[in-house]
Amino acid sequence: MLAMFFWAFVIGGLICVIGQLLFDVAKLTPGHTLSLLVVAGAILAGFGLYEPLINFAGAGATIPITSFGNSLVHGALDDAKNHGLIGVLTGMFQVTSSGVSAAIIFGFLGALIFKPKG
């Protein structure tokens, strides 16, 4: 069990290091970095490489933003098998809608409670 925690920490940390390097070295904006990491997760999922990473690293691969790209592709491919082209569009939203909804709701509640500036 200790090895599972170790690899989750290492893989999750490497994903974060990549994001930080995109900020510091490539001088990308947060929006560009976020988009790039989501697309990277989607590409890895499209080639079938993200699921083995999840099996190996667990939460180290499912918590970072790259997992959102994986979820989009996974949902689109699963629904495409059942419903064809329309399934590509609906599958993405079906799998990720709860996470997006939670982010919006908790972000709104956090803004009400903490009164952010700017």
Side-chain angles (χ1 to χ4, degrees), residues 3 7 27 39 41-42 51 55 58 60 69 78-79 81 85 93 96 101 116:
W7 287 115
K27 302 292 185 200
V39 169
E51 286 299 318
N55 293 337
D78 283 348
D79 247 23
K81 291 176 188 172
L85 185 59
F93 300 120
T96 59
S101 298

Side-chain angles (χ1 to χ4, degrees), residues 50-101:
Y50 207 83
E51 286 299 318
L53 185 64
I54 290 173
N55 293 337
F56 177 71
T62 58
I63 301 299
I65 193 66
T66 51
S67 180
F68 185 70
N70 174 54
S71 296
L72 288 171
V73 170
H74 188 68
L77 291 177
D78 283 348
D79 247 23
K81 291 176 188 172
N82 298 331
H83 300 100
L85 185 59
I86 196 73
V88 172
L89 299 173
T90 60
M92 288 188 292
F93 300 120
Q94 211 169 25
V95 171
T96 59
S97 62
S98 61
V100 172
S101 298

Side-chain angles (χ1 to χ4, degrees), residues 2-85:
L2 190 58
M4 179 178 62
F5 291 132
F6 174 77
W7 287 115
F9 177 78
V10 168
I11 298 299
L14 284 175
I15 294 170
C16 293
V17 165
I18 291 168
Q20 192 64 47
L21 287 173
L22 290 172
F23 281 139
D24 296 341
V25 176
K27 302 292 185 200
L28 294 180
T29 65
H32 288 109
T33 302
L34 175 78
S35 299
L36 192 60
L37 289 173
V38 170
V39 169
I43 290 171
L44 289 173
F47 286 116
L49 300 174
Y50 207 83
E51 286 299 318
L53 185 64
I54 290 173
N55 293 337
F56 177 71
T62 58
I63 301 299
I65 193 66
T66 51
S67 180
F68 185 70
N70 174 54
S71 296
L72 288 171
V73 170
H74 188 68
L77 291 177
D78 283 348
D79 247 23
K81 291 176 188 172
N82 298 331
H83 300 100
L85 185 59

